Amino acid sequence: MRRDDDTLEWASGADMMRQPTLNVKGGLSVRGARRVQEFLNENFSRKLALAEMAAVCGFSPYHFVRAFAKTFGVPPHQYVLDLRLDFAERLLLDKRLTIADIAHLSGFSSQSHFTTVMKKYRQVTPLQARIGKIKREA
C-alpha cells in the first residue's frame, strides 16, 4: 500500500510540526530551520540520507547534525522518528489499515521495526495503542 496525499493530509496535525528554537548560537538560521522542517514534514516517510537533509540548508552533514540538534533539541534521526510515530499513531485510528500497512506508510522498514521503535519511544506496541485508542473512542 502506498501513502497518498489524501492519507497524509488526513493524518497530519499540529504536533507533527516541532517548533525550533530560533536564533540560537550555532544553530540553523530561521530560513534554514523552516526549509528543513518543511522538507522533513514532506519526506519523512521515505528513506532520507543525512547529506540530503544537510543540502537543504547548504551545510556539510557534520555541521548540519550539530546545528539541527541545537535548533530542534534532538538530532535529525530522532526528529524523523518522531514524525513517523506521530503519523503512525494517527493511522492506527483507521481499523481498515493493517499494522504492516501503517508501518510501510509511515516509513518504517518493516512491521517489526515499527513495533520495536514504538515500544522503545512510546512505551506501547502498535496493537496496544490501537486497542487503547479504540477503547477511548467508544
Side-chain angles (χ1 to χ4, degrees):
M1 190 171 190
R2 189 179 148 296
R3 184 195 90 201
D4 60 12
D5 293 334
D6 293 336
T7 305
L8 179 60
E9 189 175 307
W10 166 78
S12 64
D15 62 321
M16 285 183 71
M17 295 289 289
R18 306 286 188 265
Q19 294 307 312
T21 303
L22 301 175
N23 299 320
V24 64
K25 185 175 180 174
L28 298 171
S29 67
V30 173
R31 181 174 180 231
R34 187 185 75 250
R35 289 180 72 195
V36 76
Q37 192 173 36
E38 288 172 1
F39 174 80
L40 292 176
N41 285 327
E42 292 170 8
N43 295 287
F44 69 87
S45 65
R46 68 177 179 83
K47 189 171 185 163
L48 294 168
L50 187 58
E52 184 180 9
M53 290 184 252
V56 171
C57 298
F59 280 40
S60 72
Y62 173 79
H63 286 102
F64 174 74
V65 170
R66 294 176 57 141
F68 187 97
K70 283 192 177 223
T71 302
F72 289 95
V74 294
H77 177 72
Q78 183 62 51
Y79 185 93
V80 171
L81 281 179
D82 287 341
L83 289 174
R84 289 176 177 174
L85 288 171
D86 290 346
F87 183 71
E89 285 180 332
R90 283 183 178 76
L91 292 180
L92 285 169
L93 295 172
D94 186 348
K95 293 174 248 171
R96 297 170 299 173
L97 293 172
T98 67
I99 291 175
D101 288 339
I102 292 168
H104 175 73
L105 291 168
S106 302
F108 292 98
S109 59
S110 66
Q111 180 178 342
S112 175
H113 181 224
F114 172 42
T115 300
T116 301
V117 171
M118 189 153 180
K119 179 72 173 172
K120 180 177 181 179
Y121 293 105
R122 303 290 165 98
Q123 290 74 49
V124 293
T125 66
L127 183 59
Q128 290 169 334
R130 174 174 268 176
I131 291 169
K133 289 178 191 238
I134 291 170
K135 285 182 183 178
R136 283 181 276 195
E137 288 179 355

mmCIF file with all atom_site columns, all heavy atoms in Angstrom, residues 83-103:
data_model
loop_
_atom_site.group_PDB
_atom_site.id
_atom_site.type_symbol
_atom_site.label_atom_id
_atom_site.label_alt_id
_atom_site.label_comp_id
_atom_site.label_asym_id
_atom_site.label_entity_id
_atom_site.label_seq_id
_atom_site.pdbx_PDB_ins_code
_atom_site.Cartn_x
_atom_site.Cartn_y
_atom_site.Cartn_z
_atom_site.occupancy
_atom_site.B_iso_or_equiv
_atom_site.pdbx_formal_charge
_atom_site.auth_seq_id
_atom_site.auth_comp_id
_atom_site.auth_asym_id
_atom_site.auth_atom_id
_atom_site.pdbx_PDB_model_num
ATOM 1   N N   . LEU A 1 83  ? 8.320   12.152 13.806 1.00 0.00 ? 83  LEU A N   1
ATOM 2   C CA  . LEU A 1 83  ? 7.342   12.433 12.754 1.00 0.00 ? 83  LEU A CA  1
ATOM 3   C C   . LEU A 1 83  ? 6.658   11.151 12.303 1.00 0.00 ? 83  LEU A C   1
ATOM 4   O O   . LEU A 1 83  ? 5.440   11.103 12.134 1.00 0.00 ? 83  LEU A O   1
ATOM 5   C CB  . LEU A 1 83  ? 8.009   13.108 11.555 1.00 0.00 ? 83  LEU A CB  1
ATOM 6   C CG  . LEU A 1 83  ? 8.480   14.547 11.731 1.00 0.00 ? 83  LEU A CG  1
ATOM 7   C CD1 . LEU A 1 83  ? 9.244   15.007 10.490 1.00 0.00 ? 83  LEU A CD1 1
ATOM 8   C CD2 . LEU A 1 83  ? 7.308   15.466 12.005 1.00 0.00 ? 83  LEU A CD2 1
ATOM 9   N N   . ARG A 1 84  ? 7.460   10.103 12.106 1.00 0.00 ? 84  ARG A N   1
ATOM 10  C CA  . ARG A 1 84  ? 6.911   8.828  11.667 1.00 0.00 ? 84  ARG A CA  1
ATOM 11  C C   . ARG A 1 84  ? 5.963   8.242  12.707 1.00 0.00 ? 84  ARG A C   1
ATOM 12  O O   . ARG A 1 84  ? 4.891   7.726  12.370 1.00 0.00 ? 84  ARG A O   1
ATOM 13  C CB  . ARG A 1 84  ? 8.035   7.835  11.373 1.00 0.00 ? 84  ARG A CB  1
ATOM 14  C CG  . ARG A 1 84  ? 8.811   8.192  10.129 1.00 0.00 ? 84  ARG A CG  1
ATOM 15  C CD  . ARG A 1 84  ? 9.977   7.279  9.892  1.00 0.00 ? 84  ARG A CD  1
ATOM 16  N NE  . ARG A 1 84  ? 10.633  7.639  8.642  1.00 0.00 ? 84  ARG A NE  1
ATOM 17  C CZ  . ARG A 1 84  ? 11.750  7.094  8.212  1.00 0.00 ? 84  ARG A CZ  1
ATOM 18  N NH1 . ARG A 1 84  ? 12.353  6.155  8.921  1.00 0.00 ? 84  ARG A NH1 1
ATOM 19  N NH2 . ARG A 1 84  ? 12.271  7.489  7.074  1.00 0.00 ? 84  ARG A NH2 1
ATOM 20  N N   . LEU A 1 85  ? 6.344   8.314  13.975 1.00 0.00 ? 85  LEU A N   1
ATOM 21  C CA  . LEU A 1 85  ? 5.490   7.771  15.034 1.00 0.00 ? 85  LEU A CA  1
ATOM 22  C C   . LEU A 1 85  ? 4.194   8.566  15.179 1.00 0.00 ? 85  LEU A C   1
ATOM 23  O O   . LEU A 1 85  ? 3.122   7.986  15.375 1.00 0.00 ? 85  LEU A O   1
ATOM 24  C CB  . LEU A 1 85  ? 6.252   7.726  16.363 1.00 0.00 ? 85  LEU A CB  1
ATOM 25  C CG  . LEU A 1 85  ? 7.341   6.657  16.446 1.00 0.00 ? 85  LEU A CG  1
ATOM 26  C CD1 . LEU A 1 85  ? 8.181   6.847  17.702 1.00 0.00 ? 85  LEU A CD1 1
ATOM 27  C CD2 . LEU A 1 85  ? 6.748   5.259  16.400 1.00 0.00 ? 85  LEU A CD2 1
ATOM 28  N N   . ASP A 1 86  ? 4.277   9.887  15.088 1.00 0.00 ? 86  ASP A N   1
ATOM 29  C CA  . ASP A 1 86  ? 3.066   10.718 15.153 1.00 0.00 ? 86  ASP A CA  1
ATOM 30  C C   . ASP A 1 86  ? 2.098   10.349 14.027 1.00 0.00 ? 86  ASP A C   1
ATOM 31  O O   . ASP A 1 86  ? 0.897   10.201 14.237 1.00 0.00 ? 86  ASP A O   1
ATOM 32  C CB  . ASP A 1 86  ? 3.412   12.206 15.056 1.00 0.00 ? 86  ASP A CB  1
ATOM 33  C CG  . ASP A 1 86  ? 4.126   12.745 16.284 1.00 0.00 ? 86  ASP A CG  1
ATOM 34  O OD1 . ASP A 1 86  ? 4.131   12.073 17.333 1.00 0.00 ? 86  ASP A OD1 1
ATOM 35  O OD2 . ASP A 1 86  ? 4.681   13.860 16.178 1.00 0.00 ? 86  ASP A OD2 1
ATOM 36  N N   . PHE A 1 87  ? 2.641   10.207 12.829 1.00 0.00 ? 87  PHE A N   1
ATOM 37  C CA  . PHE A 1 87  ? 1.829   9.846  11.667 1.00 0.00 ? 87  PHE A CA  1
ATOM 38  C C   . PHE A 1 87  ? 1.213   8.459  11.858 1.00 0.00 ? 87  PHE A C   1
ATOM 39  O O   . PHE A 1 87  ? 0.017   8.256  11.629 1.00 0.00 ? 87  PHE A O   1
ATOM 40  C CB  . PHE A 1 87  ? 2.701   9.897  10.406 1.00 0.00 ? 87  PHE A CB  1
ATOM 41  C CG  . PHE A 1 87  ? 1.965   9.608  9.138  1.00 0.00 ? 87  PHE A CG  1
ATOM 42  C CD1 . PHE A 1 87  ? 1.061   10.517 8.626  1.00 0.00 ? 87  PHE A CD1 1
ATOM 43  C CD2 . PHE A 1 87  ? 2.197   8.437  8.432  1.00 0.00 ? 87  PHE A CD2 1
ATOM 44  C CE1 . PHE A 1 87  ? 0.386   10.260 7.437  1.00 0.00 ? 87  PHE A CE1 1
ATOM 45  C CE2 . PHE A 1 87  ? 1.530   8.173  7.251  1.00 0.00 ? 87  PHE A CE2 1
ATOM 46  C CZ  . PHE A 1 87  ? 0.622   9.082  6.747  1.00 0.00 ? 87  PHE A CZ  1
ATOM 47  N N   . ALA A 1 88  ? 2.024   7.516  12.301 1.00 0.00 ? 88  ALA A N   1
ATOM 48  C CA  . ALA A 1 88  ? 1.551   6.145  12.506 1.00 0.00 ? 88  ALA A CA  1
ATOM 49  C C   . ALA A 1 88  ? 0.442   6.090  13.557 1.00 0.00 ? 88  ALA A C   1
ATOM 50  O O   . ALA A 1 88  ? -0.546  5.367  13.392 1.00 0.00 ? 88  ALA A O   1
ATOM 51  C CB  . ALA A 1 88  ? 2.713   5.247  12.923 1.00 0.00 ? 88  ALA A CB  1
ATOM 52  N N   . GLU A 1 89  ? 0.589   6.868  14.622 1.00 0.00 ? 89  GLU A N   1
ATOM 53  C CA  . GLU A 1 89  ? -0.439  6.869  15.662 1.00 0.00 ? 89  GLU A CA  1
ATOM 54  C C   . GLU A 1 89  ? -1.782  7.361  15.104 1.00 0.00 ? 89  GLU A C   1
ATOM 55  O O   . GLU A 1 89  ? -2.833  6.853  15.486 1.00 0.00 ? 89  GLU A O   1
ATOM 56  C CB  . GLU A 1 89  ? -0.006  7.720  16.854 1.00 0.00 ? 89  GLU A CB  1
ATOM 57  C CG  . GLU A 1 89  ? 1.041   7.026  17.698 1.00 0.00 ? 89  GLU A CG  1
ATOM 58  C CD  . GLU A 1 89  ? 1.487   7.851  18.889 1.00 0.00 ? 89  GLU A CD  1
ATOM 59  O OE1 . GLU A 1 89  ? 1.432   9.101  18.823 1.00 0.00 ? 89  GLU A OE1 1
ATOM 60  O OE2 . GLU A 1 89  ? 1.895   7.237  19.880 1.00 0.00 ? 89  GLU A OE2 1
ATOM 61  N N   . ARG A 1 90  ? -1.745  8.304  14.216 1.00 0.00 ? 90  ARG A N   1
ATOM 62  C CA  . ARG A 1 90  ? -2.989  8.770  13.597 1.00 0.00 ? 90  ARG A CA  1
ATOM 63  C C   . ARG A 1 90  ? -3.588  7.687  12.702 1.00 0.00 ? 90  ARG A C   1
ATOM 64  O O   . ARG A 1 90  ? -4.795  7.488  12.671 1.00 0.00 ? 90  ARG A O   1
ATOM 65  C CB  . ARG A 1 90  ? -2.740  10.037 12.799 1.00 0.00 ? 90  ARG A CB  1
ATOM 66  C CG  . ARG A 1 90  ? -2.614  11.241 13.693 1.00 0.00 ? 90  ARG A CG  1
ATOM 67  C CD  . ARG A 1 90  ? -2.445  12.508 12.867 1.00 0.00 ? 90  ARG A CD  1
ATOM 68  N NE  . ARG A 1 90  ? -2.375  13.640 13.733 1.00 0.00 ? 90  ARG A NE  1
ATOM 69  C CZ  . ARG A 1 90  ? -1.299  13.959 14.456 1.00 0.00 ? 90  ARG A CZ  1
ATOM 70  N NH1 . ARG A 1 90  ? -0.217  13.240 14.405 1.00 0.00 ? 90  ARG A NH1 1
ATOM 71  N NH2 . ARG A 1 90  ? -1.311  15.025 15.245 1.00 0.00 ? 90  ARG A NH2 1
ATOM 72  N N   . LEU A 1 91  ? -2.714  7.002  11.972 1.00 0.00 ? 91  LEU A N   1
ATOM 73  C CA  . LEU A 1 91  ? -3.204  5.949  11.086 1.00 0.00 ? 91  LEU A CA  1
ATOM 74  C C   . LEU A 1 91  ? -3.781  4.769  11.868 1.00 0.00 ? 91  LEU A C   1
ATOM 75  O O   . LEU A 1 91  ? -4.648  4.053  11.358 1.00 0.00 ? 91  LEU A O   1
ATOM 76  C CB  . LEU A 1 91  ? -2.082  5.462  10.166 1.00 0.00 ? 91  LEU A CB  1
ATOM 77  C CG  . LEU A 1 91  ? -1.582  6.452  9.121  1.00 0.00 ? 91  LEU A CG  1
ATOM 78  C CD1 . LEU A 1 91  ? -0.467  5.826  8.293  1.00 0.00 ? 91  LEU A CD1 1
ATOM 79  C CD2 . LEU A 1 91  ? -2.695  6.942  8.232  1.00 0.00 ? 91  LEU A CD2 1
ATOM 80  N N   . LEU A 1 92  ? -3.322  4.558  13.076 1.00 0.00 ? 92  LEU A N   1
ATOM 81  C CA  . LEU A 1 92  ? -3.837  3.456  13.891 1.00 0.00 ? 92  LEU A CA  1
ATOM 82  C C   . LEU A 1 92  ? -5.325  3.617  14.194 1.00 0.00 ? 92  LEU A C   1
ATOM 83  O O   . LEU A 1 92  ? -6.003  2.643  14.527 1.00 0.00 ? 92  LEU A O   1
ATOM 84  C CB  . LEU A 1 92  ? -3.043  3.324  15.193 1.00 0.00 ? 92  LEU A CB  1
ATOM 85  C CG  . LEU A 1 92  ? -1.655  2.712  15.055 1.00 0.00 ? 92  LEU A CG  1
ATOM 86  C CD1 . LEU A 1 92  ? -0.858  2.886  16.339 1.00 0.00 ? 92  LEU A CD1 1
ATOM 87  C CD2 . LEU A 1 92  ? -1.730  1.242  14.664 1.00 0.00 ? 92  LEU A CD2 1
ATOM 88  N N   . LEU A 1 93  ? -5.844  4.808  14.076 1.00 0.00 ? 93  LEU A N   1
ATOM 89  C CA  . LEU A 1 93  ? -7.277  5.045  14.292 1.00 0.00 ? 93  LEU A CA  1
ATOM 90  C C   . LEU A 1 93  ? -8.136  4.399  13.202 1.00 0.00 ? 93  LEU A C   1
ATOM 91  O O   . LEU A 1 93  ? -9.305  4.108  13.422 1.00 0.00 ? 93  LEU A O   1
ATOM 92  C CB  . LEU A 1 93  ? -7.573  6.542  14.352 1.00 0.00 ? 93  LEU A CB  1
ATOM 93  C CG  . LEU A 1 93  ? -6.956  7.296  15.521 1.00 0.00 ? 93  LEU A CG  1
ATOM 94  C CD1 . LEU A 1 93  ? -7.161  8.794  15.351 1.00 0.00 ? 93  LEU A CD1 1
ATOM 95  C CD2 . LEU A 1 93  ? -7.531  6.810  16.837 1.00 0.00 ? 93  LEU A CD2 1
ATOM 96  N N   . ASP A 1 94  ? -7.554  4.196  12.035 1.00 0.00 ? 94  ASP A N   1
ATOM 97  C CA  . ASP A 1 94  ? -8.274  3.599  10.908 1.00 0.00 ? 94  ASP A CA  1
ATOM 98  C C   . ASP A 1 94  ? -8.142  2.086  10.995 1.00 0.00 ? 94  ASP A C   1
ATOM 99  O O   . ASP A 1 94  ? -7.104  1.522  10.661 1.00 0.00 ? 94  ASP A O   1
ATOM 100 C CB  . ASP A 1 94  ? -7.718  4.116  9.583  1.00 0.00 ? 94  ASP A CB  1
ATOM 101 C CG  . ASP A 1 94  ? -8.515  3.646  8.382  1.00 0.00 ? 94  ASP A CG  1
ATOM 102 O OD1 . ASP A 1 94  ? -9.372  2.737  8.528  1.00 0.00 ? 94  ASP A OD1 1
ATOM 103 O OD2 . ASP A 1 94  ? -8.278  4.186  7.292  1.00 0.00 ? 94  ASP A OD2 1
ATOM 104 N N   . LYS A 1 95  ? -9.205  1.425  11.429 1.00 0.00 ? 95  LYS A N   1
ATOM 105 C CA  . LYS A 1 95  ? -9.173  -0.023 11.637 1.00 0.00 ? 95  LYS A CA  1
ATOM 106 C C   . LYS A 1 95  ? -9.051  -0.804 10.330 1.00 0.00 ? 95  LYS A C   1
ATOM 107 O O   . LYS A 1 95  ? -8.747  -1.987 10.346 1.00 0.00 ? 95  LYS A O   1
ATOM 108 C CB  . LYS A 1 95  ? -10.419 -0.467 12.402 1.00 0.00 ? 95  LYS A CB  1
ATOM 109 C CG  . LYS A 1 95  ? -10.454 0.055  13.821 1.00 0.00 ? 95  LYS A CG  1
ATOM 110 C CD  . LYS A 1 95  ? -11.769 -0.299 14.478 1.00 0.00 ? 95  LYS A CD  1
ATOM 111 C CE  . LYS A 1 95  ? -12.511 1.000  14.694 1.00 0.00 ? 95  LYS A CE  1
ATOM 112 N NZ  . LYS A 1 95  ? -13.872 0.852  15.128 1.00 0.00 ? 95  LYS A NZ  1
ATOM 113 N N   . ARG A 1 96  ? -9.286  -0.148 9.202  1.00 0.00 ? 96  ARG A N   1
ATOM 114 C CA  . ARG A 1 96  ? -9.175  -0.834 7.909  1.00 0.00 ? 96  ARG A CA  1
ATOM 115 C C   . ARG A 1 96  ? -7.725  -1.093 7.526  1.00 0.00 ? 96  ARG A C   1
ATOM 116 O O   . ARG A 1 96  ? -7.451  -1.977 6.724  1.00 0.00 ? 96  ARG A O   1
ATOM 117 C CB  . ARG A 1 96  ? -9.846  -0.005 6.816  1.00 0.00 ? 96  ARG A CB  1
ATOM 118 C CG  . ARG A 1 96  ? -11.348 0.173  7.027  1.00 0.00 ? 96  ARG A CG  1
ATOM 119 C CD  . ARG A 1 96  ? -11.912 1.175  6.064  1.00 0.00 ? 96  ARG A CD  1
ATOM 120 N NE  . ARG A 1 96  ? -11.269 2.463  6.300  1.00 0.00 ? 96  ARG A NE  1
ATOM 121 C CZ  . ARG A 1 96  ? -11.419 3.547  5.568  1.00 0.00 ? 96  ARG A CZ  1
ATOM 122 N NH1 . ARG A 1 96  ? -12.206 3.519  4.526  1.00 0.00 ? 96  ARG A NH1 1
ATOM 123 N NH2 . ARG A 1 96  ? -10.817 4.672  5.866  1.00 0.00 ? 96  ARG A NH2 1
ATOM 124 N N   . LEU A 1 97  ? -6.792  -0.311 8.074  1.00 0.00 ? 97  LEU A N   1
ATOM 125 C CA  . LEU A 1 97  ? -5.375  -0.477 7.749  1.00 0.00 ? 97  LEU A CA  1
ATOM 126 C C   . LEU A 1 97  ? -4.737  -1.499 8.680  1.00 0.00 ? 97  LEU A C   1
ATOM 127 O O   . LEU A 1 97  ? -4.949  -1.464 9.893  1.00 0.00 ? 97  LEU A O   1
ATOM 128 C CB  . LEU A 1 97  ? -4.635  0.855  7.911  1.00 0.00 ? 97  LEU A CB  1
ATOM 129 C CG  . LEU A 1 97  ? -4.993  1.966  6.937  1.00 0.00 ? 97  LEU A CG  1
ATOM 130 C CD1 . LEU A 1 97  ? -4.325  3.266  7.359  1.00 0.00 ? 97  LEU A CD1 1
ATOM 131 C CD2 . LEU A 1 97  ? -4.573  1.591  5.530  1.00 0.00 ? 97  LEU A CD2 1
ATOM 132 N N   . THR A 1 98  ? -3.940  -2.387 8.101  1.00 0.00 ? 98  THR A N   1
ATOM 133 C CA  . THR A 1 98  ? -3.203  -3.331 8.942  1.00 0.00 ? 98  THR A CA  1
ATOM 134 C C   . THR A 1 98  ? -1.996  -2.620 9.544  1.00 0.00 ? 98  THR A C   1
ATOM 135 O O   . THR A 1 98  ? -1.556  -1.569 9.039  1.00 0.00 ? 98  THR A O   1
ATOM 136 C CB  . THR A 1 98  ? -2.705  -4.542 8.123  1.00 0.00 ? 98  THR A CB  1
ATOM 137 O OG1 . THR A 1 98  ? -1.712  -4.089 7.188  1.00 0.00 ? 98  THR A OG1 1
ATOM 138 C CG2 . THR A 1 98  ? -3.852  -5.238 7.405  1.00 0.00 ? 98  THR A CG2 1
ATOM 139 N N   . ILE A 1 99  ? -1.452  -3.193 10.581 1.00 0.00 ? 99  ILE A N   1
ATOM 140 C CA  . ILE A 1 99  ? -0.274  -2.597 11.207 1.00 0.00 ? 99  ILE A CA  1
ATOM 141 C C   . ILE A 1 99  ? 0.908   -2.635 10.239 1.00 0.00 ? 99  ILE A C   1
ATOM 142 O O   . ILE A 1 99  ? 1.709   -1.698 10.190 1.00 0.00 ? 99  ILE A O   1
ATOM 143 C CB  . ILE A 1 99  ? 0.030   -3.280 12.550 1.00 0.00 ? 99  ILE A CB  1
ATOM 144 C CG1 . ILE A 1 99  ? -1.091  -2.914 13.541 1.00 0.00 ? 99  ILE A CG1 1
ATOM 145 C CG2 . ILE A 1 99  ? 1.392   -2.860 13.092 1.00 0.00 ? 99  ILE A CG2 1
ATOM 146 C CD1 . ILE A 1 99  ? -1.029  -3.588 14.883 1.00 0.00 ? 99  ILE A CD1 1
ATOM 147 N N   . ALA A 1 100 ? 0.989   -3.671 9.420  1.00 0.00 ? 100 ALA A N   1
ATOM 148 C CA  . ALA A 1 100 ? 2.054   -3.734 8.402  1.00 0.00 ? 100 ALA A CA  1
ATOM 149 C C   . ALA A 1 100 ? 1.890   -2.597 7.388  1.00 0.00 ? 100 ALA A C   1
ATOM 150 O O   . ALA A 1 100 ? 2.886   -1.972 6.985  1.00 0.00 ? 100 ALA A O   1
ATOM 151 C CB  . ALA A 1 100 ? 2.028   -5.086 7.696  1.00 0.00 ? 100 ALA A CB  1
ATOM 152 N N   . ASP A 1 101 ? 0.657   -2.311 6.984  1.00 0.00 ? 101 ASP A N   1
ATOM 153 C CA  . ASP A 1 101 ? 0.407   -1.190 6.057  1.00 0.00 ? 101 ASP A CA  1
ATOM 154 C C   . ASP A 1 101 ? 0.813   0.134  6.700  1.00 0.00 ? 101 ASP A C   1
ATOM 155 O O   . ASP A 1 101 ? 1.426   0.991  6.054  1.00 0.00 ? 101 ASP A O   1
ATOM 156 C CB  . ASP A 1 101 ? -1.070  -1.118 5.656  1.00 0.00 ? 101 ASP A CB  1
ATOM 157 C CG  . ASP A 1 101 ? -1.492  -2.229 4.713  1.00 0.00 ? 101 ASP A CG  1
ATOM 158 O OD1 . ASP A 1 101 ? -0.617  -2.812 4.044  1.00 0.00 ? 101 ASP A OD1 1
ATOM 159 O OD2 . ASP A 1 101 ? -2.708  -2.510 4.660  1.00 0.00 ? 101 ASP A OD2 1
ATOM 160 N N   . ILE A 1 102 ? 0.455   0.298  7.953  1.00 0.00 ? 102 ILE A N   1
ATOM 161 C CA  . ILE A 1 102 ? 0.787   1.538  8.666  1.00 0.00 ? 102 ILE A CA  1
ATOM 162 C C   . ILE A 1 102 ? 2.294   1.692  8.777  1.00 0.00 ? 102 ILE A C   1
ATOM 163 O O   . ILE A 1 102 ? 2.824   2.787  8.573  1.00 0.00 ? 102 ILE A O   1
ATOM 164 C CB  . ILE A 1 102 ? 0.107   1.554  10.051 1.00 0.00 ? 102 ILE A CB  1
ATOM 165 C CG1 . ILE A 1 102 ? -1.414  1.667  9.867  1.00 0.00 ? 102 ILE A CG1 1
ATOM 166 C CG2 . ILE A 1 102 ? 0.636   2.691  10.910 1.00 0.00 ? 102 ILE A CG2 1
ATOM 167 C CD1 . ILE A 1 102 ? -2.221  1.419  11.124 1.00 0.00 ? 102 ILE A CD1 1
ATOM 168 N N   . ALA A 1 103 ? 2.984   0.598  9.060  1.00 0.00 ? 103 ALA A N   1
ATOM 169 C CA  . ALA A 1 103 ? 4.452   0.650  9.134  1.00 0.00 ? 103 ALA A CA  1
ATOM 170 C C   . ALA A 1 103 ? 5.033   1.119  7.810  1.00 0.00 ? 103 ALA A C   1
ATOM 171 O O   . ALA A 1 103 ? 5.891   2.011  7.770  1.00 0.00 ? 103 ALA A O   1
ATOM 172 C CB  . ALA A 1 103 ? 5.010   -0.723 9.510  1.00 0.00 ? 103 ALA A CB  1
#
